[in-house]
Amino acid sequence: MAGKFELYEDKGGEHRFRLKAGNGENVGASESYKAKASALNGIESVKKNAANDDRFSVFEGKNDKWYFNLKAGNHEVILSSQGYSSQSAAEDGTGAVQRAAADASVDDQTG
């Protein structure tokens, strides 16, 4: 089962997306975008940059959980992870993004 991007409006009326793996697990989420077109561009940027290992950074948060960010060529964060219990689990999460993003469809829930 292929991954998918869910495009939605948050409570503040801004656009966001999350990437779900083929098993339905959330593997990353975006920042908010004022315009829907900008969020769609963000999705395309995730698809383009996810294949590049160098675009991921894995780090330990202040809460002793591990996270990753995916950055675009301009070094802006385009996708952030949930918290993981270990560094290796966060690194596995980057692989989940790589597997899910390239062929993921877009589920536009903005109506």
Side-chain angles (χ1 to χ4, degrees), residues 82-103:
Q82 63 185 12
Y84 291 91
S85 59
S86 68
Q87 181 177 359
S88 63
E91 289 168 352
D92 289 347
T94 66
V97 170
Q98 290 177 317
R99 289 187 298 277
D103 297 324

Side-chain angles (χ1 to χ4, degrees), residues 30-92:
S30 73
E31 301 279 326
S32 64
Y33 297 88
K34 292 192 183 304
K36 180 178 177 178
S38 297
L40 290 168
N41 285 340
I43 289 171
E44 290 306 312
S45 185
V46 169
K47 288 182 174 189
K48 175 183 170 187
N49 289 286
N52 187 340
D53 290 338
D54 294 337
R55 298 289 164 93
F56 287 94
S57 62
V58 175
F59 59 95
E60 187 174 13
K62 293 179 182 174
N63 60 357
D64 295 326
K65 292 193 180 250
W66 287 84
Y67 300 87
F68 66 79
N69 286 329
L70 173 62
K71 295 182 180 182
N74 63 3
H75 305 289
E76 292 291 321
V77 174
I78 52 177
L79 193 75
S80 297
S81 73
Q82 63 185 12
Y84 291 91
S85 59
S86 68
Q87 181 177 359
S88 63
E91 289 168 352
D92 289 347

